[in-house]
Amino acid sequence: MRRVRSATVPLHRHSIPQILVDGVLVALSYWLAFWLRFDNGISPPYEELLRDTLPWVVGGSLVVFVVSRMYGKWWRYAGQRDLLVVVRSVVLVTLALVAAVAVLHPVTRPTTEGDVSVGLPSSVIALFMLIAIALMCGVRLLARMLHERPRGFRARADARTVLIVGAGDGGRLVLREILRNRDLGLNPVGFVDDDPTKRRIRVEGVPVLGNTQEEFPRVLDEVEPDEVIIAIPSAPGTLRGRVVGACRRRGIPIRTLPTVFELLQGGGSTYVRQVRDVQVEDVLGREPVRFEIDRVGRYLDGEVVLVTGAGGSIGAELCRQIARVAPRKLILLDHAEDNLFRIQRELEDDRHVHPSTLAAVLADCKEEERMREVFGEHHPTIVFHAAAYKHVGLMELNPVEAVRNNALATRVMARVGGDLGVRTFVLVSTDKAVTPATVMGASKALAEWAVEEAGARYPGTSFATVRFGNVLGSSGSVVPIFRAQIAKGGPVTITDPAMTRYFMTIPEAVQLVIRSGSLAKGGEVFVLEMGDPVSIMQLARDMIELSGLRPEEDIAIEVVGRRPGEKVHEDLFNPYERPQATPAEKIQIAEREPLAPEVVHAMFAEIGLLVLEGDAAGLARKVTELSALRSGSHVDAAAVSVDPRA
């Protein structure tokens, strides 16, 4: 059942005093409008008009204000939207007042030509509207100013001096909370901000001392803060990296506000209490992707959405974001009990998610009969297939299972979805499927072809693939490995000092996957723009420094040599693919010539037989043939490696 916003007017126990104050202000505004209009005193007919109309002007105004939902919050938290509601409501009251006086004629006066009604002068109408807006907005702003005013702030003797990066909205909120909460033990000594219009000004008494570029090292040396807080939730990685580098060289601890994604998912705690340590995701140097999930995910509203691999890193984030756009039902499917239980409990505890919209299904995508049962019971209209094995080294040791789970299971899901009338089917793929050189990459390339074949076979379903690079924090990422190695005291091991990889955060990748689903028309391979590739060596050094240690001194970095089939650089497009733009930012289409469905069908029949027989060597040869078939060139069987221990 979908959640419906309550139609009741929000009131709380503090609404009555607010209503009484507004009633007094409306009455005062109406009286002042007449008093200012008539310099020599209000003439008797208009004095009678004022006296007779004042009660229902006040009463009618309060009714309009309540219906306009003006009393749902404390005035101390009034913002721009609340003031706009006040303006709109007063204008509505003014128009109603004019109409009522014109229709009802509350006051008449006798003349030689008969009784003549007394109307409201236009100047009284204009004055009433302006005075009411000024008084009612003013009282709300006054309440907010009194609430936010530092009440004789004096830092504790043991307070830590803090330099705030960013004098915008985030920085101001941090400053206000520090000034209001002496128990935080912080003493703000200044801001740094790159906006030239803020240079040398004071923000609520705290000076802006410079920018984050050439002036930042000087500011750190002069102020010598005990701590630096980055108060820009949308700050790019280049700025964060620059600030972190300067602070680390001086041994100054640095923390940051959560990113926009974390703030949206976080609770109601204050900004300062949400400040966390800087993580590697913050300093990658790439511009963050910003989408409004309510807007880009609107096509999921009221749908039955199935997410496979729901307990994995990508699948779980898909579930979190999809749950926030109010699908009619969200089906969480995973074959790992612990992971499924974890994401189910997390979503059930989320105040934005109604438990009745969730269905947790413990099942394996490889089992076609079981999948048909699930589809038949829940009737999903949109499927995000995120279930996959991701660990390259582990898949080299288990090539048969890699192909079974990543390729054959995808074909099963696509076939079942097409047979049972799913409207949209989205496969989550990887850049390792491009010119695959490992079993994991080859299995994901096969998965892409399975979806392509299904698109030709089932025109009623929009099949699409979304391909992207490494995702920070996912189970297949190098970042958790580096963190564990640093925690143990090192060494941090890399396979090649020249190696680079594309990186993106999990929330960014998932938002782009959801956006791609709205673009799917049938058969597309969407490729996410990952920014510039990141040096793995530099990533290792950054992670060591973010842990407060020194590379090569506190933590050693060892080069252990590349694993079989491991590439130095990854690509997002195959040589036979042509990048094409889409209407969405950061999303491209890999345009390519389609393979004949019967060819793919025949090849999958052979692969299925090899998997059934457990023939790892034969499987490697067959996968190589598929690569050559797509590219139109001969590829040596060694191009796809299989670990000899398999």
Side-chain angles (χ1 to χ4, degrees):
M1 181 180 295
R2 294 180 57 191
R3 298 183 302 279
V4 179
R5 178 179 292 181
S6 174
T8 60
V9 177
L11 295 173
H12 52 79
R13 62 189 180 92
H14 301 285
S15 298
I16 300 302
Q18 294 175 351
I19 293 173
L20 293 176
V21 170
D22 277 348
V24 172
L25 294 179
V26 169
L28 179 61
S29 301
Y30 197 54
W31 179 81
L32 283 174
F34 279 88
W35 184 77
L36 292 173
R37 166 63 177 81
F38 299 98
D39 296 335
N40 298 320
I42 305 174
S43 59
Y46 290 103
E47 185 177 2
E48 183 181 352
L49 177 66
L50 169 62
R51 184 178 61 253
D52 290 348
T53 56
L54 181 61
W56 52 265
V57 166
V58 174
S61 298
L62 295 180
V63 171
V64 172
F65 296 160
V66 171
V67 173
S68 299
R69 308 172 72 91
M70 282 174 47
Y71 303 108
K73 65 167 67 172
W74 292 52
W75 283 351
R76 68 180 66 172
Y77 303 122
Q80 182 178 356
R81 289 186 178 180
D82 302 293
L83 299 182
L84 290 175
V85 172
V86 171
V87 173
R88 187 168 61 245
S89 302
V90 171
V91 170
L92 183 60
V93 166
T94 304
L95 295 175
L97 171 63
V98 173
V101 171
V103 172
L104 299 177
H105 307 299
V107 174
T108 59
R109 58 178 178 175
T111 67
T112 57
E113 300 178 356
D115 292 344
V116 176
S117 62
V118 176
L120 275 175
S122 57
S123 54
V124 170
I125 296 170
L127 285 169
F128 167 67
M129 183 175 68
L130 295 176
I131 294 171
I133 290 174
L135 291 179
M136 294 177 65
C137 289
V139 74
R140 285 159 172 79
L141 290 175
L142 179 63
R144 178 167 178 170
M145 290 172 58
L146 291 174
H147 174 68
E148 295 181 348
R149 177 177 58 88
R151 297 176 176 82
F153 176 80
R154 179 178 296 176
R156 294 175 358 194
D158 60 344
R160 294 167 54 82
T161 57
V162 59
L163 180 68
I164 303 173
V165 177
D169 292 338
R172 292 168 188 263
L173 286 170
V174 169
L175 175 63
R176 289 168 186 168
E177 289 182 8
I178 292 174
L179 296 179
R180 285 201 302 265
N181 297 280
R182 185 170 176 268
D183 61 328
L184 290 173
L186 298 175
N187 180 23
V189 294
F191 288 98
V192 290
D193 197 288
D194 291 336
D195 185 351
T197 63
K198 295 187 175 76
R199 188 182 299 272
R200 308 305 177 197
I201 70 169
R202 286 181 172 269
V203 178
E204 303 195 18
V206 178
V208 178
L209 303 174
N211 57 40
T212 66
Q213 301 177 35
E214 63 275 0
E215 295 179 330
F216 187 60
R218 173 188 59 79
V219 172
L220 289 178
D221 293 335
E222 291 179 355
V223 176
E224 295 184 347
D226 295 319
E227 182 178 326
V228 171
I229 295 178
I230 300 176
I232 312 174
S234 60
T238 49
L239 185 150
R240 294 176 186 268
R242 187 165 59 244
V243 171
V244 168
C247 292
R248 290 298 184 200
R249 286 190 291 272
R250 292 163 176 79
I252 300 174
I254 181 167
R255 294 191 291 165
T256 182
L257 281 182
T259 64
V260 174
F261 293 112
E262 293 170 313
L263 288 173
L264 289 174
Q265 294 175 358
S269 58
T270 63
Y271 259 41
V272 173
R273 298 190 192 280
Q274 291 187 64
V275 168
R276 58 163 174 76
D277 291 337
V278 176
Q279 300 169 356
V280 67
E281 293 91 330
D282 300 316
V283 296
L284 279 182
R286 58 184 305 279
E287 291 295 326
V289 178
R290 300 186 190 95
F291 280 139
E292 296 175 8
I293 189 60
D294 291 340
R295 178 176 57 84
V296 302
R298 191 171 299 154
Y299 71 102
L300 302 173
D301 188 12
E303 301 288 345
V304 179
V305 184
L306 168 65
V307 178
T308 70
S313 49
I314 299 295
E317 184 63 24
L318 269 169
C319 294
R320 294 183 191 104
Q321 295 197 27
I322 291 172
R324 289 175 176 266
V325 295
R328 182 154 53 94
K329 181 185 287 187
L330 176 58
I331 307 162
L332 320 174
L333 191 148
D334 204 301
H335 75 281
E337 179 189 15
D338 289 347
N339 290 346
L340 182 61
F341 178 74
R342 191 177 301 114
I343 186 62
Q344 178 193 20
R345 288 298 301 271
E346 178 185 334
L347 293 179
E348 287 177 344
D349 292 341
D350 190 332
R351 60 186 177 87
H352 297 96
V353 181
H354 199 288
S356 65
T357 64
L358 300 177
V361 177
L362 192 62
D364 194 330
C365 296
K366 299 189 292 292
E367 299 175 359
E368 183 168 348
E369 184 177 349
R370 174 66 173 131
M371 289 302 98
R372 291 188 181 276
E373 291 176 358
V374 172
F375 277 64
E377 178 183 356
H378 297 285
H379 306 288
T381 56
I382 297 176
V383 174
F384 290 94
H385 182 46
Y389 289 146
K390 303 181 181 70
H391 293 280
V392 174
L394 197 56
M395 293 305 98
E396 292 300 298
L397 294 171
N398 300 274
V400 173
E401 192 59 29
V403 174
R404 191 200 318 272
N405 190 75
N406 291 356
L408 299 186
T410 298
R411 193 159 186 259
V412 166
M413 290 296 299
R415 184 166 58 235
V416 173
D419 285 340
L420 298 183
V422 167
R423 193 173 78 240
T424 303
F425 184 102
V426 179
L427 166 68
V428 176
S429 189
T430 171
D431 59 353
K432 292 176 176 57
V434 176
T435 316
T438 61
V439 168
M440 200 282 279
S443 67
K444 293 299 287 184
L446 284 167
E448 291 188 6
W449 298 351
V451 170
E452 181 181 317
E453 178 213 9
R457 191 174 300 275
Y458 302 102
T461 299
S462 297
F463 286 91
T465 294
V466 183
R467 182 193 297 163
F468 50 88
N470 292 271
V471 177
L472 290 165
S474 74
S475 59
S477 171
V478 71
V479 173
I481 298 174
F482 283 176
R483 282 187 178 135
Q485 291 175 336
I486 294 170
K488 292 179 180 178
V492 172
T493 58
I494 65 172
T495 56
D496 191 311
M499 184 172 290
T500 63
R501 289 292 183 266
Y502 292 99
F503 284 100
M504 181 178 281
T505 66
I506 291 177
E508 286 179 291
V510 165
Q511 281 212 337
L512 289 170
V513 169
I514 294 173
R515 180 71 173 99
S516 298
S518 69
L519 301 174
K521 298 294 186 292
E524 300 93 345
V525 176
F526 295 107
V527 181
L528 309 189
E529 295 180 15
M530 303 289 295
D532 296 327
V534 175
S535 165
I536 298 298
M537 174 65 81
Q538 186 59 47
L539 178 67
R541 299 181 68 88
D542 287 343
M543 291 189 65
I544 294 171
E545 290 179 352
L546 288 173
S547 301
L549 302 170
R550 293 167 295 180
E552 306 292 4
E553 296 182 27
D554 301 318
I555 300 288
I557 299 177
E558 288 186 5
V559 178
V560 297
R562 279 188 285 159
R563 295 185 290 266
E566 191 173 33
K567 299 178 185 177
V568 177
H569 308 291
E570 296 280 9
D571 298 307
L572 294 171
F573 293 89
N574 283 295
Y576 51 83
E577 295 174 335
R578 298 174 298 279
Q580 300 292 329
T582 71
E585 180 189 4
K586 303 290 186 182
I587 301 177
Q588 294 179 302
I589 290 179
E591 189 178 83
R592 59 189 185 179
E593 294 298 324
L595 284 172
E598 58 271 15
V599 173
V600 179
H601 178 75
M603 297 301 284
F604 262 97
E606 296 182 53
I607 288 172
L609 183 60
L610 291 169
V611 167
L612 189 62
E613 295 174 347
D615 187 351
L619 197 58
R621 288 192 297 272
K622 183 55 61 178
V623 169
T624 301
E625 291 177 23
L626 282 177
S627 300
L629 177 67
R630 171 63 88 176
S631 62
S633 60
H634 175 71
V635 181
D636 184 29
V640 178
S641 69
V642 174
D643 195 294
R645 294 170 288 175

